[in-house]
Amino acid sequence: MEEFLKELRTKVWRTAGARYDAARRLKRREIVSTISLAFFSALTVVLAFVQRIYVQQGGTAFDNYLTSLSACLGIFLLAISLIEWGAGAGSKAEALHRNAEDLTALQIQIWQRISEMESGKVGTWSDVDNLRTEYERIKERCTANHDPLDDKSFLAHNRMAPEFLDKDKNPKIGSMESYWITSRYFMTSLWYFAVFWLLILIALLAQVGLHELLV
């Protein structure tokens, strides 16, 4: 019975840790999204000023390029805003964090029950089953779920914990694999907008090059 409780405690800890990591990842995406969309909006205004100040004659290649770029950026900004609104990263992060807090509270209860058993207090399988049922209930209460990468991130950060060592007391996740998982976990919230920034940078550099060519 005690061994079962320890395994249940590890499972609860792992689920809570993965959902904490998921909440952090989604919150980071929300912050990057907000900053990026704000700068994308500012760029549309800047392009309008550039076109007004530097284009002396309408209908030129440079004028047409700025007009097209402004229109594309506006459509692009609208599409990304709708995608991010639909993704709801902020609300999912909050729900996952609350669920992880509830799981952490359950983990403390399980630890207390294990300590009572170690001190000689007799437990019943009914009590154990109630804790297991409570774990399933808390887990299913959250409509959002963590990604496998969030679970891997938790295991990578806790790879030296006794619960996650192999039978020879060695970590199941090596140091290089741990660095790779941590890097992927960090970049998964950034690469999406990094691609957009790269495309816009290329478009802006092409704009400067076109202006220099025509001048």
Side-chain angles (χ1 to χ4, degrees), residues 37-115:
L37 290 176
F39 276 100
F40 291 159
S41 300
L43 274 176
T44 59
V45 178
V46 171
L47 285 175
F49 277 104
V50 169
Q51 187 172 13
R52 178 67 180 83
I53 295 173
Y54 290 99
V55 176
Q56 304 298 328
Q57 183 180 359
T60 62
F62 185 54
D63 179 56
N64 292 335
Y65 182 81
L66 286 178
T67 301
S68 301
L69 184 59
S70 297
C72 290
L73 187 58
I75 296 172
F76 168 80
L77 179 61
L78 176 61
I80 297 302
S81 299
L82 290 174
I83 291 173
E84 289 303 302
W85 176 79
S91 59
K92 288 180 181 178
E94 184 178 354
L96 285 165
H97 182 80
R98 286 200 304 267
N99 194 253
E101 291 286 288
D102 293 338
L103 288 169
T104 300
L106 177 62
Q107 179 190 346
I108 295 173
Q109 292 181 30
I110 296 174
W111 261 127
Q112 181 179 354
R113 186 58 54 86
I114 293 173
S115 299

Side-chain angles (χ1 to χ4, degrees), residues 90-148:
S91 59
K92 288 180 181 178
E94 184 178 354
L96 285 165
H97 182 80
R98 286 200 304 267
N99 194 253
E101 291 286 288
D102 293 338
L103 288 169
T104 300
L106 177 62
Q107 179 190 346
I108 295 173
Q109 292 181 30
I110 296 174
W111 261 127
Q112 181 179 354
R113 186 58 54 86
I114 293 173
S115 299
E116 290 174 351
M117 289 183 177
E118 290 177 345
S119 63
K121 184 176 181 179
V122 178
T124 65
W125 279 107
S126 177
D127 294 335
V128 174
D129 189 61
N130 288 337
L131 290 172
R132 182 194 60 80
T133 303
E134 180 68 8
Y135 164 63
E136 297 294 339
R137 187 183 66 82
I138 294 175
K139 186 176 65 172
E140 294 174 359
R141 194 163 60 200
C142 183
T143 55
N145 195 9
H146 58 269
D147 288 344

Side-chain angles (χ1 to χ4, degrees), residues 43 65 194-208:
L43 274 176
Y65 182 81
V195 171
F196 294 149
W197 275 111
L198 180 62
L199 292 175
I200 291 177
L201 180 61
I202 292 173
L204 292 175
L205 291 177
Q207 166 190 308
V208 174

